[in-house]
Amino acid sequence: MKGKIAVLMALLFLTATFGMVQSYSFKINSANSVIVLPTTKIANGVPLHIGEDAIAGSKLGAFLVLQGITEGAYAVKVTVPVEYHSVLIEDYGQYYKLNTIDMPDVGLNVSDEPVGHGIVVAVNFSRVFYNSTAKKAQFNDRSIEIIFNENTTPLKLGSENTKIVSSTVNGKDALYIYNYTKGKGMKKIDESLTVGIWKIKFQDIDTSGNNMLVEVSSPYKKDIKLMYEGRHYILYLDSSNNEHYEEYTSDPQTRINELLKAGVKDMLVFNPTNIFQGQNTDQVIYNYTYYKKLRIYQDGEIYSGQWIWDIDPANNLFTLYLHVNTSNKKFPKVFIDENDMIALPINGGLHIKAIFEKDSKGNVIGIQGYKFIRIDSLQKTVTITVPKVEVTSNVEEFIINDTELTKLPSNKNVIIVGGWVSNKAWKVLESAYGSEMVASIKNEINSKGYVVKILRNPYNSNYRVIILAGKTHKETEKAIEKFMAGF
């Protein structure tokens, strides 16, 4: 019977130590480990070298801190500036229009005429000069023009969904700039849809299933309305803050355009496409478009800097031009040297740059021509190597004495420094692994002088219990050094 027990204990020992990773491929550092140092100073009247074991254990602690500092490779997205250049455009007094042959990467739908979605970006070179005194390029009034129609809004307004509408306000040509939002969805009875300043609460559906009662409310008033499936409803706030409600049996686009030209402040076009009663629920499916006026510009008004509006409501054309007026300090002459560019006030990041002619000494003597330059940014994924740090945030819990360890933790590696005479933690080992296994480790120390024993934690196999012990402090130090050398 004793022989069977011995065989069984040997198998248990092999099972435990089979988890030993001779190459130490497991992850261990000060953040996931605890070091248990001995405290017994006298055994049978013989002083023990506790101080030397503590010094060796401290070296082990420093080593584990360093084990937690590694290099990690991370993929990150960075923004990289890029430039696209046109061919050199010579100046011979012509009215030049940018095209995709001279600049394939222009980034805008440029055209010779402002039709469809085409935009005209033009330079009147008869209004551009080389100033030999200042040795700079000089741009005069209307030397640069950007012309477009209501189908295209190349403006820097902070939104892709913008619409511009030309009109006449108080006898002066003007344009309104609107932001618009399109949406669709489905609501049940007693649910609400809020768009802009309006809230539509769906209250009841007629048994016929083709109309419904809704409560329409805004900061200005609240009404009960009857809405029909397939019809269009326009709710708008006019320029005098008067609220209106209109119903149409067909697409009211003509009326929408009229209201936009009239300068409405807010407008919701609501279309219930399907009203139905189900077995357990009543629902409405809808589409809507919401317009909000951002601002109004009038003829001759500043858009930004020295860029001025020229509005043509008769042809629905809009021109932004560079304005120079020496009698007004707001519009001085525009000069650029070889380090400057003129930024166009539209989307796309377009600039105009002068290419200067120089003599053999590097002095500017004239202008070779001009280039359009588009400045953009691209996102690129790059791999960077940076330190990865995993270190303990509590030294008091990282290095403890043997009286503090009453059981093996399930969330840490445990390193026991020193033999069973000096380190009381061996009693915890007996509780976890049994006296037979612990006795075999003691025999190995007595026969070999020291051990580096790595066991799997019985409470969590992801962690290890490591015994670094010798017959003397010199041999314990040797066990620690051998363990550290394995990484």
Side-chain angles (χ1 to χ4, degrees):
M1 185 68 178
K2 289 183 178 178
K4 291 182 179 179
I5 292 175
V7 171
L8 178 61
M9 293 308 299
L11 287 173
L12 288 173
F13 177 75
L14 288 173
T15 302
T17 56
F18 186 74
M20 294 170 56
V21 183
Q22 296 301 324
S23 61
Y24 305 155
S25 60
F26 57 88
K27 182 180 179 181
I28 187 168
N29 55 53
S30 64
N32 66 4
S33 305
V34 57
I35 298 174
V36 186
L37 295 179
T39 58
T40 303
K41 297 182 180 180
I42 303 294
N44 298 322
V46 178
L48 300 176
H49 298 280
I50 304 305
E52 288 83 348
D53 285 349
I55 292 172
S58 298
K59 290 180 181 178
L60 174 63
F63 171 77
L64 293 184
V65 170
L66 294 176
Q67 281 292 106
I69 303 174
T70 59
E71 284 191 345
Y74 300 90
V76 296
K77 287 186 176 181
V78 296
T79 300
V80 181
V82 293
E83 287 188 3
Y84 303 93
H85 291 232
S86 73
V87 299
L88 183 69
I89 302 162
E90 295 183 358
D91 175 4
Y92 48 86
Q94 79 275 29
Y95 187 80
Y96 172 84
K97 298 175 183 178
L98 182 61
N99 57 76
T100 55
I101 296 175
D102 291 345
M103 189 176 185
D105 300 308
V106 65
L108 292 170
N109 186 10
V110 291
S111 174
D112 282 343
E113 299 294 334
V115 295
H117 292 282
I119 300 168
V120 176
V121 178
V123 180
N124 187 344
F125 282 109
S126 67
R127 298 173 181 265
V128 182
F129 304 97
Y130 170 64
N131 188 310
S132 57
T133 303
K135 297 188 180 301
K136 296 180 179 181
Q138 178 178 328
F139 288 75
N140 292 329
D141 190 46
R142 295 199 84 128
S143 54
I144 306 173
E145 295 181 332
I146 302 159
I147 310 167
F148 50 95
N149 59 45
E150 61 185 353
N151 298 319
T152 306
T153 310
L155 307 180
K156 297 178 179 178
L157 298 174
S159 173
E160 294 181 0
N161 298 327
T162 53
K163 182 177 179 62
I164 57 176
V165 178
S166 59
S167 185
T168 301
V169 179
N170 297 325
K172 196 169 185 178
D173 295 339
L175 68 86
Y176 295 108
I177 299 179
Y178 290 92
N179 182 70
Y180 67 90
T181 305
K182 291 182 177 290
K184 59 183 178 179
M186 179 173 67
K187 295 288 184 182
K188 300 177 183 178
I189 292 302
D190 290 331
E191 291 185 334
S192 299
L193 168 68
T194 301
V195 183
I197 65 171
W198 289 281
K199 178 181 179 181
I200 301 175
K201 183 177 181 180
F202 306 97
Q203 292 192 328
D204 195 15
I205 292 179
D206 186 76
T207 54
S208 65
N210 70 345
N211 63 69
M212 61 182 174
L213 280 177
V214 300
E215 179 186 81
V216 180
S217 57
S218 73
Y220 301 92
K221 61 182 178 179
K222 181 186 295 186
D223 285 323
I224 300 297
K225 300 289 186 181
L226 183 65
M227 288 187 173
Y228 288 84
E229 178 181 289
R231 297 189 184 182
H232 302 263
Y233 299 87
I234 301 179
L235 295 77
Y236 66 93
L237 191 68
D238 65 25
S239 57
S240 300
N241 285 334
N242 298 312
E243 189 177 353
H244 304 267
Y245 179 94
E246 298 176 1
E247 179 180 330
Y248 296 88
T249 57
S250 60
D251 186 357
Q253 190 58 55
T254 300
R255 179 57 177 159
I256 292 171
N257 291 338
E258 288 177 356
L259 292 171
L260 294 175
K261 283 179 175 290
V264 293
K265 291 184 175 181
D266 288 86
M267 179 167 60
L268 173 62
V269 183
F270 180 72
N271 172 218
T273 57
N274 196 345
I275 300 172
F276 63 91
Q277 289 184 310
Q279 185 174 359
N280 298 315
T281 182
D282 299 334
Q283 294 180 324
V284 55
I285 299 174
Y286 56 84
N287 297 320
Y288 69 83
T289 305
Y290 171 65
Y291 298 88
K292 183 173 182 61
K293 184 169 68 178
L294 299 180
R295 68 160 299 159
I296 178 176
Y297 287 106
Q298 292 189 307
D299 224 18
E301 191 174 348
I302 298 172
Y303 171 64
S304 67
Q306 290 184 229
W307 296 94
I308 304 297
W309 283 108
D310 183 357
I311 301 164
D312 181 5
N315 297 299
N316 285 322
L317 293 180
F318 312 94
T319 300
L320 280 174
Y321 65 90
L322 183 66
H323 183 47
V324 174
N325 183 354
T326 54
S327 62
N328 189 329
K329 292 182 179 180
K330 290 183 178 180
F331 309 109
K333 294 179 181 179
V334 177
F335 297 95
I336 59 171
D337 59 24
E338 56 186 332
N339 298 314
D340 293 330
M341 293 186 289
I342 296 177
L344 275 57
I346 55 176
N347 295 329
L350 271 182
H351 299 71
I352 296 176
K353 181 178 178 65
I355 307 301
F356 290 88
E357 184 180 354
K358 298 181 180 181
D359 60 20
S360 58
K361 295 181 180 180
N363 299 315
V364 173
I365 57 175
I367 296 177
Q368 297 179 14
Y370 298 83
K371 282 188 176 183
F372 282 89
I373 297 175
R374 179 164 71 93
I375 300 176
D376 202 352
S377 58
L378 296 177
Q379 278 201 333
K380 184 178 181 181
T381 301
V382 298
T383 301
I384 60 174
T385 301
V386 297
K388 182 180 180 182
V389 180
E390 292 181 88
V391 296
T392 182
S393 59
N394 190 334
V395 176
E396 299 294 333
E397 293 181 358
F398 172 42
I399 300 178
I400 65 174
N401 63 55
D402 52 10
T403 60
E404 296 177 75
L405 187 73
T406 57
K407 63 176 292 187
L408 294 179
S410 61
N411 62 344
K412 294 275 187 179
N413 299 303
V414 178
I415 306 175
I416 296 175
V417 176
W420 61 94
V421 175
S422 62
N423 198 315
K424 296 182 179 67
W426 280 72
K427 292 180 180 180
V428 177
L429 293 177
E430 289 185 351
S431 299
Y433 296 103
S435 58
E436 293 290 337
M437 179 184 289
V438 172
S440 67
I441 299 174
K442 291 178 179 180
N443 291 335
E444 188 175 347
I445 294 174
N446 287 328
S447 62
K448 294 183 179 179
Y450 72 92
V451 294
V452 176
K453 193 65 63 177
I454 302 173
L455 311 175
R456 290 199 181 271
N457 189 319
Y459 306 116
N460 188 336
S461 60
N462 293 322
Y463 295 99
R464 306 293 191 272
V465 175
I466 302 161
I467 304 168
L468 305 177
K471 294 170 67 175
T472 67
H473 76 273
K474 286 289 186 184
E475 288 166 311
T476 296
E477 185 177 1
K478 187 174 182 180
I480 291 173
E481 290 175 351
K482 187 172 181 66
F483 173 73
M484 291 191 298
F487 289 92

